[in-house]
Amino acid sequence: MIGTSLDRQDRYWEEDTAHRPADHPVVAGFARQRWRHAARLLPLDEIRTVLDVGAGSGFSAVHAPPHMGFTCADRSRHMLARNPVDRRSQADITALPFTDRAFDLVLCWEVLHHVPNPAEALGEMRRVSRRWLLIFEPNPLNLAQLLFALADREHRWVLRYSTRYIRQQLHRAGLRLRHHQRVGLIFPNRTPPWLFSLLDALPFRWPLCGISHLVVAERG
């Protein structure tokens, strides 16, 4: 049975010691790889204000194109304390403390599989976005992601994340899917530095076995 609980999720993130800091070379390279690819799918030059939901240590913001102004939100006080971005807010993904259409782009990287009702979270992100959402979620067709989800109950909801399930959640949230790809081979908190340079040279898109779903969506 797929299961976890929000209380356990809260404890998991407040006690986290497994995530590398934002300035770790593998984490930095991982984030930059994502941004390079996102530039092919989104008009990044036109995006000025960004909300990073479930921002954690802030690695997605720290290594983003420098013209973007970031606000980072996370439910975990512990994770926000590690985040170097100036504009930070402790907030629940289903009740973001921002006005409607406040940001050009809303990010959500590897967060939704920790949320009991992802459509509700997506709807809230849609509310505060003027147009774009950029989402990454673990791909259970990747063997390493599958085994991790089976071994760690706080990642058990990864098993939900088929293409069909993702499309259903977007539809329920009133979002239009623009791009869906399976991407990446680098685990930012596990890949050793010596292996990173080899993996970084490989293609980013892997139709079945990429470690993550990449989703670009816009307001419907």
Side-chain angles (χ1 to χ4, degrees), residues 69-145:
F70 269 77
T71 300
C72 288
D74 202 292
R75 184 180 171 98
S76 167
R77 184 179 291 106
H78 170 72
M79 296 302 291
L80 279 179
R82 302 174 62 192
N83 190 315
V85 174
D86 291 335
R87 292 187 294 273
R88 291 172 291 172
S89 176
Q90 187 178 10
D92 190 284
I93 195 171
T94 61
L96 297 170
F98 308 107
T99 59
D100 294 358
R101 300 176 182 262
F103 301 94
D104 297 329
L105 171 67
V106 178
L107 307 181
C108 185
W109 290 14
E110 278 82 25
V111 176
L112 291 177
H113 66 280
H114 294 289
V115 177
N117 186 346
E120 181 183 10
L122 287 165
E124 184 67 352
M125 287 188 286
R126 175 187 179 277
R127 180 185 66 79
V128 301
S129 174
R130 293 191 182 96
R131 183 176 181 184
W132 297 110
L133 275 72
L134 175 60
I135 300 160
F136 288 91
E137 281 299 315
N139 171 26
L141 294 180
N142 176 276
L143 180 60
Q145 294 282 33

Side-chain angles (χ1 to χ4, degrees), residues 140-188:
L141 294 180
N142 176 276
L143 180 60
Q145 294 282 33
L146 173 63
L147 293 176
F148 185 49
L150 291 172
D152 186 336
R153 66 180 181 179
E154 306 316 328
H155 289 78
R156 200 67 47 82
W157 282 333
V158 167
L159 301 175
R160 295 174 169 177
Y161 278 78
S162 65
T163 298
R164 179 181 179 185
Y165 181 78
I166 290 170
R167 289 176 179 266
Q168 287 174 341
Q169 304 312 303
L170 294 171
H171 178 73
R172 290 171 185 166
L175 290 162
R176 182 186 306 126
L177 177 64
R178 291 296 301 271
H179 300 283
H180 173 243
Q181 302 170 358
R182 294 184 183 90
V183 299
L185 295 173
I186 297 161
F187 289 88

Side-chain angles (χ1 to χ4, degrees), residues 1-58:
M1 178 178 177
I2 296 174
T4 184
S5 78
L6 194 56
D7 287 342
R8 287 204 308 268
Q9 292 286 336
D10 285 343
R11 290 195 299 272
Y12 177 87
W13 291 109
E14 292 302 333
E15 297 168 1
D16 171 71
T17 59
H19 288 76
R20 289 167 170 167
D23 61 356
H24 189 283
V26 174
V27 175
F30 169 82
R32 290 171 184 148
Q33 184 186 62
R34 285 189 165 186
W35 282 116
R36 286 196 302 269
H37 191 75
R40 303 184 182 105
L41 307 177
L42 284 163
L44 295 187
D45 290 345
E46 302 172 10
I47 291 170
R48 293 292 180 270
T49 56
V50 182
L51 174 64
D52 188 355
V53 181
S57 66

